Amino acid sequence: MPEQPSPEKKFFTDSGIEIKRVYEGHNDFPEPPGEPPFTRGIQPDMYRGKPWTMRQYAGFSTAAESNKRYKYLLSKGTTGLSVAFDLPTQIGYDSNHPLAEGEVGKSGVAIDSLRDMEVLFDGIDLGKVTTSMTINSTAAILLAMYVALARKQGVPLKELSGTIQNDILKEYAARGTYIYPPRPSMRLITDIFDYCGKALPKWNSISVSGYHMREAGCTAVQELAFTLSNGKAYCKAAIDKGLDINVFGRRISFFFNAHNNLFEEVAKFRAARRMWARITQELGATDTRARMLRFHTQTGGSTLTAQDPHNNIVRVTLQALAAVLGGTQSLHTNGFDEALSIPTEHAALLALRTQQIIAHESGVTQTVDPLGGSAFVETLTDEMEEKAWEYIRRIDVMGGSVSAIEQGFIQKEIANAAYKYQEAVQSGEKVVVGLNSYKPEVSPQGEIFRVADNLAKIQAEALQRLRSERSGERVQQSLLALEVAAKVDSNLMPFILDAVEAYATIGEIADVMRKVFGEYK
């Protein structure tokens, strides 16, 4: 891995022209980088001192199989892990549950208990990697498993670093992997805020996600507005619980999509930072770090085509470049074959190499906010911001994001935008190369990753062994304590952690809360 540059290092073009840290002189620059409202970036030096974290979202089949992929990616230069969980894990069902049939290990890795988590990270020191987990309704349970594993490894919790997505509002709006109704779900989220603030000072307790709403069809402006409105709702819920925004605000992160319109995406990221700085200030944040919008980006899955999939390499490169030019802190690049299957090792490596080439060969990392000062980019940033504020004001009038979701407003806006986009593609007004224009005579055929068909059987057998080996009495005691705590106003994280360490399964823990909270229909 290349040596990290120091902020004091001088940078030059290939022709020997020195590149300044930052270029000033434009009338529209409200502040230098690293200062509120952070339009130009949250760090004074941005990538001159340290590149973004290069993550590759991965998880499939069993914990053992995913562990092999993680070690492969780490050996090739990935600087952070990002875990994909299968649908049963995401909605709190054990792999042997009837509703899990046909889905075990398909869209991510199957995790039924702490034992699976031990296998997933076998040989990986949690004190030396940052891990992002895309999990929402069962976020508290998976975080507890990660904490329990860190304890077993002897990693001090104050050193544990990573992110739990923990964003339930976008699940109601666009994605669907919810379990409980909105209000108890918000309680779980603020319980995690409170727990992380005390026990995990380096852990990001939420990643407020616009990504999945964009995947469902919303526009860049809607992604910006709905994401920040949801973030505002989480902050208000935490404040209402008595938490200090200057503490929990420092550990809020965001997760955005990057699509093909490079300049619109860059403007979106710049506007997001500026808007979040204002929102948090209005909510009472005085700490500069609590006003920073730090974000992870993933390239657009919905932009990938199964037809002529090698075209996706170009799309992913454009999208990754937009994220970097927009100042992302962390980035995942999709494999070109993801419209067909889970990425092959070849596709995953090529996606990682795309990031590395941008970081080390393109030169775009050598000055802060390289597109800043462009009349087009500055004007577009302003216009994106104003259109997003219009949406946020409408949502505020409805009573905030929770009420807007309960009334179906956000869902309807996303559906309408998706419909308009699909109409434009079908009419040919929107050109998608290889899909409705410039179609190949014969679509290239390549290797497709296939998950084994016997995963449910493997996981069911592992569950049977687990239940025969663990202390059933300890499991039942921990689940009963969790049920009692759920009925009162206790923070549930310590009780969930006790159950996890007793080797209660994800389904058993989630069912206790289903019993108390009910299910969202």
Side-chain angles (χ1 to χ4, degrees), residues 284-301:
T286 55
D287 187 312
T288 299
R289 290 186 60 81
R291 298 179 59 202
M292 286 181 180
L293 183 142
R294 298 168 298 114
F295 69 99
H296 169 73
T297 310
Q298 181 173 339
T299 56

Side-chain angles (χ1 to χ4, degrees), residues 2-13 17-23 33 40-52 324 327-329 358-360 363-370:
E3 185 179 338
Q4 302 289 6
S6 69
E8 295 77 25
K9 178 183 175 181
K10 290 188 176 183
F11 294 86
F12 298 87
T13 68
I17 300 169
E18 184 172 354
I19 301 170
K20 297 179 183 179
R21 178 185 69 85
V22 66
Y23 289 82
R40 306 202 68 188
I42 62 170
Q43 302 294 343
D45 295 297
M46 287 303 290
Y47 309 130
R48 284 169 67 98
K50 180 183 178 183
W52 60 91
V324 172
T328 194
Q329 278 63 66
I358 292 173
H360 301 294
V364 299
T365 62
Q366 295 175 358
T367 188
V368 180
D369 190 28

